[in-house]
Amino acid sequence: MSGKIGDEVVINTIRFLSLDQIERAKSGHPGMPLGASHIAYLIFDRFLKFNPKNPRWIDRDRFVLSAGHASAMLYATLFVNGYDITIEDLKRFRQLDSITPGHPESQLTPGVETTTGPLGQGFGNSVGMAIAEKYLSSYFNREGFKIIDHYTYVLASDGDLMEGVSSEAGALAGHLRLHKLIVIWDNNRVSIDGPTSLAWSENVLERFEALGWHVQEVEDGYDLDALEKAIRRAREETDRPSFIAARTHLGYGSPLQNNCKAHGAPLGKEAVIETKKRFGWPLEEFYVPEEVWEYRRRRIEEGRRREEEWRKLFEKYRERYPDLAELLIKAFNRDWGEEYRRHLPRFEEPIATRKASGKVLNAIAGYL
């Protein structure tokens, strides 16, 4: 824990800011925020390397909420960790022109790494991120200069893993031995229409073992120590991506716990009041304890300090390897120059697009 206050205070702030967003909007998905906010908190608090005031820092860790329907939880998590999201932004959840849309959009909200919502999409995107980290680190890093050295963490739902893309992308991740990819499965066993057993009976852990992943199971998904130890073991893995199954409960602590009705509709005013009372939480809407405001301020300072340490290393790297440093900056700024345009081929005859794409890439590769 990076602060002086208890974990549960921050976790409950995330839970109930999520519920309040959904109730005010009269739309949203309260089940996962109640059931999995502690997982998002744990990743950010114990492991994630980030600077909330510079969400595009090159060597930040990536956090992907593949279950994008739980966006209220993501926005609340980003808020308590110091990103440029305000209480007023949370109050405008799912409203036109807000920065807190119903599903996360990467070009809109600070801290959102990729647009998610279609189940499985974030899982696939995260494999791409891990591939990029592995390639870039091998290309740019030099002895004593780990300029690219970050993890990709994913919080995935049952629905994400039901989608075929999770198997396809998971197979590639296992094949490429993407050991800096860590997926945590929010295994609550409830789908939009009822228990997952209505349509799903495979052994997911064995599936990922077969795909070449390091697999762990946390039977009590609310045991923070057990979850933390599992993630630390995953970080120690050097040859395989990691998959952690955490047994959780949809709508945890609410009158609709484990009920599919908690998935995609507001709990309702009375149920929210009852849930807050069960957790011993003030009934005030959008309540944030003073110690959480202090936690937020501290996270901002910690993030600035971590990026500053990296920048000092990068300046030394730039002195030693100026060409590589310039190329790295250009790549992340998507500054490809203009020379490649002069080498774009023209096609006079009909050609399959896959062949045309290959010819274009080969023609301009040396000029990027």
Side-chain angles (χ1 to χ4, degrees):
M1 168 110 181
S2 63
K4 299 175 182 178
I5 61 176
D7 294 322
E8 288 300 321
V9 176
V10 186
I11 293 168
N12 285 335
T13 300
I14 296 170
R15 283 178 176 141
F16 292 114
L17 285 178
S18 300
L19 285 195
D20 288 342
Q21 289 176 73
I22 293 163
E23 288 300 315
R24 176 164 289 209
K26 296 182 173 58
S27 177
H29 299 74
M32 188 173 182
L34 281 173
S37 286
H38 64 294
I39 299 175
Y41 162 78
L42 188 71
I43 293 171
F44 272 80
D45 186 83
R46 307 291 205 275
F47 300 101
L48 207 71
K49 178 176 64 174
F50 66 97
N51 177 4
K53 295 305 178 183
N54 182 13
R56 296 301 178 187
W57 169 25
I58 289 174
D59 198 40
R60 70 193 182 278
D61 288 335
R62 275 66 170 170
F63 173 78
V64 175
L65 177 64
S66 190
H69 55 271
S71 57
M73 177 184 72
L74 178 57
Y75 304 143
T77 301
L78 294 172
F79 166 77
V80 301
N81 279 285
Y83 287 83
D84 289 336
I85 297 174
T86 67
I87 288 292
E88 288 305 311
D89 292 323
L90 299 183
K91 290 179 177 179
R92 299 195 65 236
F93 177 61
R94 282 181 168 245
Q95 303 307 299
L96 184 64
D97 296 326
S98 78
I99 65 167
T100 49
H103 291 78
E105 298 181 26
S106 61
Q107 302 304 314
L108 184 63
T109 313
V112 173
E113 293 289 353
T114 186
T115 299
T116 57
L119 292 171
Q121 177 171 301
F123 189 107
N125 292 164
S126 70
V127 173
M129 293 176 189
I131 291 173
E133 195 283 337
K134 186 168 186 175
Y135 172 74
L136 291 173
S137 63
S138 68
Y139 189 95
F140 287 102
N141 288 357
R142 295 294 183 268
E143 185 176 353
F145 293 98
K146 286 190 174 182
I147 299 302
I148 302 296
D149 183 22
H150 56 262
Y151 286 83
T152 300
Y153 298 90
V154 185
L155 183 51
S157 66
D158 298 303
D160 287 299
L161 302 183
M162 289 177 176
E163 294 287 346
V165 66
S166 67
S167 292
E168 296 164 3
L172 180 60
H175 174 72
L176 296 177
R177 301 181 182 278
L178 303 177
H179 70 278
K180 288 187 177 177
L181 174 62
I182 299 174
V183 174
I184 302 177
W185 171 25
D186 173 38
N187 178 20
N188 61 45
R189 302 182 187 175
V190 181
S191 68
I192 191 170
D193 293 317
T196 54
S197 59
L198 289 171
W200 203 36
S201 56
E202 69 173 294
N203 188 317
V204 179
L205 298 180
E206 289 185 0
R207 186 221 300 184
F208 278 87
E209 285 180 351
L211 296 178
W213 288 55
H214 173 237
V215 173
Q216 301 177 75
E217 184 173 15
V218 179
E219 294 184 2
D220 178 1
Y222 297 95
D223 184 338
L224 290 182
D225 288 339
L227 283 170
E228 181 176 355
K229 288 176 182 176
I231 297 173
R232 292 198 184 282
R233 284 192 292 269
R235 286 170 56 93
E236 292 169 0
E237 176 64 40
T238 60
D239 200 41
R240 295 172 292 176
S242 286
F243 183 84
I244 301 169
R247 179 68 175 100
T248 58
H249 299 280
L250 187 78
Y252 179 69
S254 77
L256 291 176
Q257 179 171 313
N258 295 327
N259 189 320
C260 65
K261 292 180 180 179
H263 168 74
L267 296 181
K269 182 178 179 180
E270 295 305 316
V272 169
I273 290 173
E274 176 61 26
T275 306
K276 288 182 177 181
K277 287 180 177 179
R278 290 182 181 184
F279 281 89
W281 197 252
L283 301 184
E284 177 185 338
E285 190 183 28
F286 293 97
Y287 172 74
V288 179
E290 180 54 41
E291 54 263 50
V292 175
W293 285 108
E294 177 57 33
Y295 177 85
R296 174 181 159 90
R297 288 188 286 268
R298 191 162 57 250
R299 298 300 276 164
I300 291 171
E301 290 307 312
E302 290 170 355
R304 283 174 173 158
R305 187 165 56 250
R306 295 190 78 168
E307 182 179 357
E308 182 59 31
E309 291 172 358
W310 179 86
R311 288 191 175 277
K312 289 178 180 177
L313 178 66
F314 183 74
E315 287 308 312
K316 293 179 181 178
Y317 176 80
R318 193 201 298 267
E319 292 175 5
R320 185 82 62 86
Y321 306 104
D323 292 343
L324 282 175
E326 181 182 7
L327 180 59
L328 179 64
I329 295 299
K330 282 186 174 181
F332 274 88
N333 288 337
R334 299 184 180 183
D335 177 8
W336 313 121
E338 296 297 325
E339 179 64 21
Y340 78 93
R341 294 180 182 274
R342 289 190 277 272
H343 300 274
L344 289 168
R346 294 181 178 274
F347 304 106
E348 305 296 337
E349 301 294 331
I351 183 174
T353 53
R354 67 181 184 279
K355 290 185 178 180
S357 174
K359 289 181 179 295
V360 169
L361 290 174
N362 285 332
I364 68 175
Y367 304 97
L368 292 174

